[in-house]
Amino acid sequence: MKVSEIFVSVQGEGPSIGKPAIFLRLSHCNLNCLWCDTKYAWYCGSEKSVDDVVGDILKLLGVYSKVNLLVVTGGEPLLQRNELELLVKALKKVKELEVEVETNCTVDPGNLVDIVDRLIVSPKLEHSGVPKELRQCAESFRNSLGKYRGKIYLKFVVETAEDLLEIDEIVNFFGAEPSSVYLMPQASSLEELARKLRLVTDLAIQRGFRVSDRLQIVGGFR
Ligand code: SF4
């Protein structure tokens, strides 16, 4: 599998915000969002065996023994779904570990939903600059949500109030409960984050959604 980086930090956004975690960032993405903050993961990384990646993660968990969350992110991690399934199974066999996988919603999650603890689904909107036909949610996700309620969360990057039209459409497609939907500002600086957080909060209140901060921007960490 192609790995961009493995590191320890704190989950900066979404339902696990604030939790210390090991991050496994997988290489490759099938989209090219204008504001992507991990473009380096599209191409850069090292080919490693699943066993070697399991070993790297266990080594880090040996050092940071109180950490019990693995966040798998990208890029688009589901592009390497088969290897990811093997990795999660191998890790869970030897360690009590929560596993959270982040995805852009365009790739079938298959059986991965059965073995992870949370799937954070982040469909991309028009402001991503990606043509609609490329960023459309995979139909298989709709079936997963009903079956795995409480395990799948939607997370939207918001630029303007107009985004709510698209968000409503996707939330309806999923039949998602408002409490499983997170809105978070599109921002690359602290100033931009603070400015848009007010807008995002107003929109979330209208719909009963949740608001997510972006701690990695506030704290300047990965
Ligand atoms: S889907 Fe995620 S990783 Fe891929 S280009 Fe968009 S923001 Fe970047």
Side-chain angles (χ1 to χ4, degrees):
M1 62 198 308
K2 195 165 178 184
V3 174
S4 170
E5 53 185 343
I6 305 175
F7 56 97
V8 182
S9 188
V10 165
Q11 175 56 295
E13 47 193 54
S16 302
I17 193 165
K19 277 193 188 177
I22 309 284
F23 285 78
L24 167 63
R25 188 182 307 287
L26 296 183
S27 307
H28 303 305
C29 190
N30 56 337
L31 305 185
N32 57 349
C33 305
L34 291 173
W35 37 256
C36 179
D37 55 3
T38 53
K39 287 182 178 160
Y40 58 91
W42 295 355
Y43 313 106
C44 301
S46 326
E47 280 297 342
K48 292 180 172 217
S49 69
V50 170
D51 285 348
D52 283 349
V53 180
V54 169
D56 290 346
I57 292 169
L58 289 176
K59 224 180 273 170
L60 269 182
L61 286 169
V63 177
Y64 299 94
S65 59
K66 301 291 183 200
V67 175
N68 66 352
L69 172 65
L70 173 71
V71 176
V72 184
T73 187
E76 173 44 58
L78 295 187
L79 293 175
Q80 301 186 66
R81 198 187 72 202
N82 293 343
E83 292 88 344
L84 190 52
E85 272 187 41
L86 293 174
L87 178 126
V88 173
K89 281 180 185 161
L91 276 173
K92 284 204 176 250
K93 230 182 245 174
V94 294
K95 192 90 190 158
E96 255 189 51
L97 188 69
E98 279 182 46
V99 179
E100 181 168 300
V101 175
E102 302 182 330
T103 172
N104 64 23
C105 192
T106 60
V107 185
D108 180 1
N111 296 330
L112 197 70
V113 197
D114 288 312
I115 57 171
V116 299
D117 297 273
R118 274 176 302 286
L119 205 57
I120 313 300
V121 180
S122 186
K124 301 302 176 243
L125 308 181
E126 197 179 336
H127 61 68
S128 65
V130 178
K132 193 169 184 180
E133 62 276 14
L134 296 182
R135 59 184 160 82
Q136 252 169 3
C137 293
E139 187 68 29
S140 51
F141 267 106
R142 189 207 303 256
N143 308 328
S144 303
L145 194 93
K147 195 168 159 201
Y148 299 103
R149 211 168 282 283
K151 210 177 198 190
I152 299 184
Y153 295 84
L154 291 174
K155 188 178 71 177
F156 294 97
V157 173
V158 176
E159 181 79 65
T160 68
E162 281 70 52
D163 294 343
L164 213 49
L165 286 174
E166 275 184 277
I167 292 171
D168 283 344
E169 203 178 297
I170 297 169
V171 169
N172 288 338
F173 167 87
F174 276 93
E177 297 291 336
S179 59
S180 67
V181 180
Y182 284 74
L183 303 185
M184 95 188 167
Q186 196 291 101
S188 56
S189 69
L190 200 48
E191 295 70 31
E192 197 178 15
L193 181 66
R195 191 162 29 88
K196 291 182 183 164
L197 205 52
R198 185 64 253 174
L199 162 75
V200 163
T201 303
D202 290 341
L203 299 178
I205 290 170
Q206 283 178 34
R207 295 290 193 270
F209 297 156
R210 294 185 179 175
V211 174
S212 174
D213 204 344
R214 302 184 77 172
L215 292 185
Q216 66 277 36
I217 296 177
V218 178
F221 49 79
R222 284 194 287 181

